Amino acid sequence: MTELPEHISIWAELADVDHELRHVDVNGVRTRVLRAGAGPDLILLHGTGGHLEAYARDIAGLAENFRVTAYDMVGHGWSDLPDLPYTIDVLSAHLVGLMDTLGIETAHLSGESLGGWVVAWTAAHDPGRVARLVLNTPGNIANKPAVMTRMKESTLAAVLDPSDETVRRRVEFLFHHKEMVTDELVNLRRAVYSRPGFVRAIENTLVLQDPEVRKDFAWDRDWVGKIAAPTLLLWTDHDPTGGLDEAAMLLDWLPDARLHVIEDAGHWPQWEKREEYLRAHRDFLLLEKDPA
């Protein structure tokens, strides 16, 4: 008998996990939400052009210890696509609005890439809503123009031409082990990128790669230093958006932070190195008190 692969499909990951997938109204924005598990609230935020399936391989494991909420940010996935710039303050307000809608007063927040930027901004500007914080490959902390250009061009190219070849190239950018990119994952992205109005939506997201727009929200000691929540920096050794030098910057800026480096992974350790990703979250978020 042929051995089953480790990953069969996104929804097979949830085959034995009680969960709920629905849309909720967040201040007029129809927002797609998946929830599973019980325990302390943990909210997961995806990256630029992404959707909640970025966490498909993790939800079952996290649901053993947490009430997990993964959602499509405004202008992303199958949430609404209102025509306005999706700057960090807008994405943060949408997150806090979702918490209000779901009756979540305080939660652990874990964000990947753009999602990491959003949860960090939320922790700095609405600290009462955040218990602990995980910044998962948050990307380009140094605000390098070359990285901004690459992100903007590769993402826009995939949305303008949502063919298998172009979208696959965009998804492969996220992975160190590109053989782990599945047809299912590529086709999900193609479906999102083919939604009516999504070209305008991605343009509204990519304003953050414009240095003039970005300067009002750019990673900076002044606002990052206001984050009081204990913070885990979850980095990798093959992240194409930022190296360990940028993690060192955040460690210097954050009042209470520690670093965990996942080796042999790219921008999506939650997919490539699931068990270590899960273990790092449990070890950090379930601490009764900060280590001495």
Side-chain angles (χ1 to χ4, degrees):
M1 177 178 175
T2 304
E3 187 174 334
L4 285 171
E6 179 185 355
H7 173 72
I8 299 171
S9 76
I10 284 171
W11 294 108
E13 299 282 1
L14 292 168
D16 196 33
V17 181
D18 290 340
H19 64 277
E20 177 186 39
L21 179 67
R22 63 189 175 112
H23 286 79
V24 299
D25 184 284
V26 179
N27 300 320
V29 175
R30 186 172 182 263
T31 302
R32 180 172 172 255
V33 180
L34 187 150
R35 308 193 79 191
D41 278 293
L42 170 60
I43 304 177
L44 306 173
L45 280 74
H46 59 76
T48 298
H51 38 88
L52 63 83
E53 283 83 1
Y55 294 103
R57 301 201 67 208
D58 314 292
I59 290 168
L62 292 172
E64 295 175 8
N65 300 101
F66 304 98
R67 181 168 65 169
V68 180
T69 301
Y71 73 103
D72 294 344
M73 290 192 284
V74 59
H76 288 76
W78 282 273
S79 290
D80 274 352
L81 313 173
D83 188 6
L84 73 161
Y86 305 134
T87 49
I88 297 298
D89 54 343
V90 169
L91 298 174
S92 176
H94 182 239
L95 165 60
V96 173
L98 176 66
M99 294 174 69
D100 290 341
T101 297
L102 298 177
I104 301 172
E105 182 60 33
T106 304
H108 300 310
L109 303 180
S110 179
E112 177 265 330
S113 196
L114 173 62
W117 196 356
V118 174
V119 299
W121 186 269
T122 304
H125 293 86
D126 212 340
R129 309 305 296 268
V130 184
R132 287 176 180 259
L133 192 64
V134 180
L135 305 183
N136 175 20
T137 60
N140 200 16
I141 305 304
N143 306 299
K144 297 173 183 175
V147 176
M148 293 184 224
T149 299
R150 182 179 180 186
M151 176 64 72
K152 183 174 182 178
E153 291 180 350
S154 65
T155 304
L156 190 57
V159 175
L160 290 173
D161 172 25
S163 63
D164 181 278
E165 179 182 3
T166 310
V167 176
R168 188 175 299 274
R169 188 181 309 121
R170 175 65 176 84
V171 177
E172 286 180 347
F173 169 77
L174 307 170
F175 285 73
H176 177 51
H177 290 279
K178 303 187 188 309
E179 72 277 5
M180 295 183 73
V181 175
T182 65
D183 291 346
E184 179 188 33
L185 197 53
V186 171
N187 285 327
L188 270 172
R189 283 284 176 117
R190 293 181 67 196
V192 169
Y193 292 175
S194 299
R195 288 184 63 196
F198 201 80
V199 171
R200 183 60 182 156
I202 205 65
E203 290 172 344
N204 281 324
T205 298
L206 292 174
V207 296
L208 290 166
Q209 308 306 323
D210 180 325
E212 280 302 305
V213 175
R214 188 185 183 99
K215 67 183 181 181
D216 291 333
F217 308 98
W219 293 91
D220 179 86
R221 182 189 297 272
D222 288 345
W223 69 264
V224 173
K226 297 176 183 177
I227 296 174
T231 303
L232 174 65
L233 305 182
L234 200 58
W235 234 262
T236 71
D237 58 352
H238 291 282
D239 184 357
T241 68
L244 288 171
D245 57 326
E246 298 193 5
M249 291 173 60
L250 282 182
L251 281 174
D252 182 50
W253 295 348
L254 287 159
D256 183 2
R258 63 227 66 184
L259 173 66
H260 181 98
V261 179
I262 296 179
E263 296 183 353
D264 197 34
H267 200 52
W268 266 27
Q270 76 274 9
W271 193 285
E272 290 190 90
K273 296 291 180 179
R274 171 175 60 181
E275 293 309 315
E276 187 171 355
Y277 172 90
L278 294 175
R279 185 168 60 252
H281 274 71
R282 293 189 193 106
D283 289 350
F284 176 65
L285 297 179
L286 296 177
L287 281 173
E288 292 186 8
K289 61 179 180 179
D290 291 338

